[in-house]
Amino acid sequence: MGSSAAEAATDLIQRLDDDQQVVRRCAENALARIGRGAVPALINALASPSENVQAGAARALGQIGHAHEAAAPLIAKCQDKDTEVRAAAVEALSRVAPSSSEIIAPLTAALRDEDSLVHQAAINALIRIDTEVQREGAPLIAEVLDQSERRPVSRAALVLGSFGPAATDVMPELLNALRAHPAVDEISTAIGRIGELALEPTFAALRSEEIRIDQVNRIIDGMPAHVKVKLAAELDDTSALVREVAALTVGKLVPIPPDAVELL
């Protein structure tokens, strides 16, 4: 099917520049159904002078997925002047190379993009990458937290929250961001989704009053029940703030852990 697939792909790529969007989308879907046989032609199409063809080729590559040879040309398109081309390339990257650490830098840069189409594509893409790549990429994404502008901070926290325990290494950056942006709920949610490993640094920050009790309560609310049960051990903490958080959390559990009843 090699030559026939290539010929079909070449014909369909011409349809990516049709003046009717429905025709362009049908061509994208047909190219995706051809599969890997269409990949070389689609990579070439990323260099087309037509922005419609470039964006359509990127979307088709994303639908095909797991085509690492397409990663480099797609990375280049993440900086394209056209918004739709940038967004399509960003979205496709995590599908063609989900296990590759080389996609982290361009996807993180796209989080800072002012266009909503592009930064939403970056969020979607980063959420999809493999767990090991998430763990490796978390420190670079956490650099976005160190900004005065709230919106990119919120996006980075949303992504790190989707990583769960894979974001454990950036707990200090998340806590610093929480102090700098107390109204960005996505930060508290991200810390909570790290789970049990977030408890000690969170309580340490509370004991030193670097963060507020309401922020800690939001963090704890995002943790699974089996982690919340462990807060019974904090009911005799030397800090009144920690004891208050523990009591409020344990008091909401049903049933209350037996070893907490006496302390309550």
Side-chain angles (χ1 to χ4, degrees):
M1 159 137 183
S3 60
S4 60
E7 290 170 4
T10 300
D11 290 340
L12 287 166
I13 284 169
Q14 295 179 31
R15 304 289 177 244
L16 294 177
D17 204 26
D18 195 277
D19 59 2
Q20 295 295 313
Q21 185 182 52
V22 65
V23 175
R24 298 198 298 271
R25 292 295 184 265
C26 287
E28 290 171 18
N29 294 337
L31 283 159
R33 286 196 295 274
I34 292 174
R36 288 202 54 83
V39 169
L42 288 169
I43 290 174
N44 289 336
L46 291 173
S48 167
S50 166
E51 290 161 349
N52 282 339
V53 172
Q54 293 176 43
R59 282 190 288 266
L61 284 166
Q63 287 190 61
I64 293 169
H66 293 281
H68 192 272
E69 64 269 35
L74 284 170
I75 287 172
K77 285 299 165 186
C78 289
Q79 298 179 343
D80 195 87
K81 67 181 188 302
D82 182 77
T83 298
E84 189 174 354
V85 172
R86 290 201 310 279
V90 165
E91 187 87 42
L93 264 181
S94 66
R95 296 185 185 277
V96 301
S99 303
S100 174
S101 59
E102 69 180 315
I103 70 175
I104 292 294
L107 294 183
T108 301
L111 277 180
R112 304 176 192 261
D113 198 297
E114 294 182 359
D115 191 280
S116 61
L117 195 65
V118 178
H119 62 239
Q120 186 57 55
I123 291 170
N124 296 341
L126 286 164
I127 287 173
R128 279 195 301 266
I129 59 177
D130 292 350
T131 301
E132 283 306 311
V133 182
Q134 290 178 344
R135 186 174 286 107
E136 184 178 347
L140 185 59
I141 297 166
E143 291 180 8
V144 183
L145 298 172
D146 190 23
Q147 292 191 207
S148 57
E149 214 275 302
R150 170 178 173 165
R151 285 173 292 185
V153 170
S154 174
R155 293 173 214 141
L158 180 65
V159 169
L160 290 169
S162 75
F163 289 3
T168 300
D169 288 348
V170 298
M171 266 296 299
E173 289 86 347
L174 285 165
L175 286 170
N176 286 337
L178 188 60
R179 287 189 284 269
H181 300 276
V184 178
D185 289 343
E186 289 85 355
I187 302 172
S188 298
T189 301
I191 296 172
R193 287 181 176 169
I194 289 173
E196 186 175 351
L197 293 173
L199 285 177
E200 182 48 43
T202 297
F203 283 140
L206 180 61
R207 291 186 191 102
S208 59
E209 299 187 36
E210 297 172 45
I211 56 177
R212 303 191 310 262
I213 194 167
D214 61 300
Q215 294 172 312
V216 176
N217 283 330
R218 284 200 296 273
I219 290 170
I220 301 299
D221 283 345
M223 292 184 173
H226 75 272
V227 174
K228 293 178 182 178
V229 169
K230 296 179 183 293
L231 267 67
E234 308 297 336
L235 289 168
D236 58 357
D237 193 271
T238 57
S239 167
L241 294 173
V242 173
R243 293 199 303 275
E244 181 177 343
V245 170
L248 286 170
T249 303
V250 173
K252 294 176 185 177
L253 296 175
V254 180
I256 297 176
D259 57 346
V261 173
E262 184 177 328
L263 291 169
L264 285 172

